[in-house]
Amino acid sequence: MFRTQSAIVAPAEQAERFPGERHLLQNYARAPIAIVRGEGCELIDSTGTRYLDMVAGIAVCALGHAHPAITEAIAAQAATLVQASNLFYHEPAGTLANELSARSGFERVFFCNSGAEANEAAIKLARKRAFRNGETSRRTILACGGSFHGRTMGALAATENPHYHEGFEPLPGGFAFTPFNDVAALEGAIDETTAAFIVEPVQGESGVRPADRAFLAAARRLCDERGALLIFDEIQCGMGRLGTLFAFQTFDVRPDLVTLAKALSNGLPIGALLIDGKAARALQPGDHGTTFGGSPVPAAAALAHLRVRDETGLDAHVARVGAALRAGLAAIAERRQDLFEAPRGIGLMLGLPVRPPRTPKDFVDAGRDHERILLNGAGDNTLRFVPPLTIRDDEVAEALARFSRTIERVS
Ligand code: PLP
């Protein structure tokens, strides 16, 4: 059956330069290469070219590509149990919930399959909690200017980027925005109608912009005073990227809800919502759920990820190599003030603002095509560096050398 079908479509498929080029929805601006394999901090394309990867699946592959502990955990779990549904308990999701709770101090954990879904769950939980408390006018989800929380309708409504909204209206109502890092504005924005304030401790998609600690501390105080929940979206900046397992530990401000995804399983689809005790009973059976949430294989991969972090002292490593990468980028920015502003970011979540008329794409394309380094743009004008957290010192040096040669080519 399949043989017959593929014989029929074979001539058309042969005409493709890249797998799926004819039939994949063209909703991504894909680069003209096909990746076939990953090893540590490198990706290898269909021609055998090896690229130094400063993107890591967009802050996903914290332990690098094809880490043996992750591979082994996936294979062992796949041979044992792949899906049981959420009608039953099972060991991988249960143990992962216990681990995340022990490491964060949050009482309950909800699993889903992506970052957007984790934020949807946080939004729904915040509204349902107010409803259960009889606060029927506490509906508003307050988010920040420049935020990115995902592409599903609720997460999109919390995303302050008119370009992402365009043509998708009407979006769900009850969302409002306040300027990022503006304490005075926040004072006026959180009130008795606010169900939750959601904020990225480091904004990723809008160009790697860290929150001020004072802003997050003010958010904590105002949410407490006015009865709103504080949600940290740690989907990009969590799971060790800042040099602590959770971003809230870097800022020393404790939210009520934390959303995680991306790096949690080092590459398999998973999302998680960590829930403080005071909100732990807001969602009851039947209120929310998803078929694949907390599936055994991604959960087993996440457990392997946490184990490897412990064994390798990853946080100290991130602090060291992150400082080296940042120092190298700062030196480049100093040398080429015509092209760049000073780098921003924390740990291994770094951004280098590009001055017009140059754009991040100039460097992304030249780096990939000529120097075999994979870079990525974020926001209007920023080059984002989010390599595997396991990147070695010599790979940091090599990345800086390749990037420097890329700059010479572009300019
Ligand atoms: N929140 C933040 C801070 C993100 O960076 C992203 C993705 O880039 C998301 C949410 C959405 O996650 P996903 O693409 O897994 O839905």
Side-chain angles (χ1 to χ4, degrees), residues 360-379:
K361 189 172 186 307
D362 295 335
F363 299 93
V364 170
D365 290 349
R368 182 191 64 237
D369 293 345
H370 301 294
E371 300 298 339
R372 294 166 292 105
I373 182 169
L374 299 179
L375 303 166
N376 168 253

Side-chain angles (χ1 to χ4, degrees), residues 63 99 103 245 302-315:
L63 302 183
E99 279 290 329
R103 288 163 194 250
L245 177 57
L303 283 166
H305 179 185
L306 291 174
R307 197 179 66 243
V308 172
R309 283 181 53 76
D310 295 346
E311 290 166 1
T312 54
L314 200 55
D315 291 338

Side-chain angles (χ1 to χ4, degrees), residues 47-92:
T47 70
T49 302
R50 304 179 81 91
Y51 300 87
L52 198 48
D53 182 13
M54 295 293 110
V55 184
I58 316 186
V60 166
C61 298
L63 302 183
H65 301 285
H67 190 288
I70 301 288
T71 308
E72 210 175 288
I74 291 172
Q77 188 56 51
T80 309
L81 178 71
V82 170
Q83 167 70 340
S85 87
N86 283 306
L87 297 172
F88 312 103
Y89 288 97
H90 58 74
E91 193 71 38

Side-chain angles (χ1 to χ4, degrees), residues 113-266:
N113 311 287
S114 69
E117 280 185 45
N119 286 333
E120 292 286 344
I123 291 164
K124 287 181 71 177
L125 184 149
R127 289 212 175 134
K128 195 75 173 197
R129 174 174 175 267
F131 171 83
R132 284 194 192 286
N133 289 345
E135 297 184 291
T136 46
S137 58
R138 193 184 282 286
R139 302 280 84 200
T140 303
I141 305 297
L142 182 68
C144 283
S147 58
F148 183 86
H149 297 296
R151 306 281 196 152
T152 53
M153 290 303 253
L156 185 61
T159 292
E160 199 264 355
N161 184 329
H163 174 68
Y164 293 156
H165 288 187
E166 193 181 38
F168 294 117
E169 301 90 351
L171 297 176
F175 290 79
F177 297 96
T178 188
F180 189 54
N181 276 340
D182 185 335
V183 174
L186 194 63
E187 289 268 1
I190 296 179
D191 61 22
E192 70 290 342
T193 67
T194 311
F197 173 52
I198 182 167
V199 57
E200 297 156 82
V202 181
Q203 290 190 335
E205 296 306 298
S206 66
V208 189
R209 297 171 194 277
D212 299 334
R213 189 187 172 277
F215 181 66
L216 298 182
R220 177 68 282 169
R221 176 177 57 79
L222 291 165
C223 284
D224 283 343
E225 283 172 9
R226 299 173 191 178
L229 291 179
L230 178 59
I231 308 171
F232 279 7
D233 177 342
E234 300 199 7
I235 285 157
Q236 191 165 149
C237 65
M239 290 309 298
R241 189 145 290 278
L242 306 187
T244 52
L245 177 57
F246 302 108
F248 73 79
Q249 295 164 327
T250 291
F251 289 88
D252 198 21
V253 174
R254 195 176 170 75
D256 302 304
L257 304 174
V258 177
T259 53
L260 301 171
K262 285 196 179 278
L264 179 52
S265 290
N266 205 60

Side-chain angles (χ1 to χ4, degrees), residues 322-360:
L325 182 57
R326 190 195 182 101
L329 294 175
I332 288 170
E334 183 67 30
R335 202 167 63 238
R336 295 306 306 261
Q337 292 180 24
D338 58 322
L339 295 175
F340 304 111
E341 294 171 32
R344 289 191 291 256
I346 301 173
L348 278 173
M349 184 169 177
L350 298 172
L352 186 65
V354 177
R355 290 188 199 279
R358 295 295 179 202
T359 66

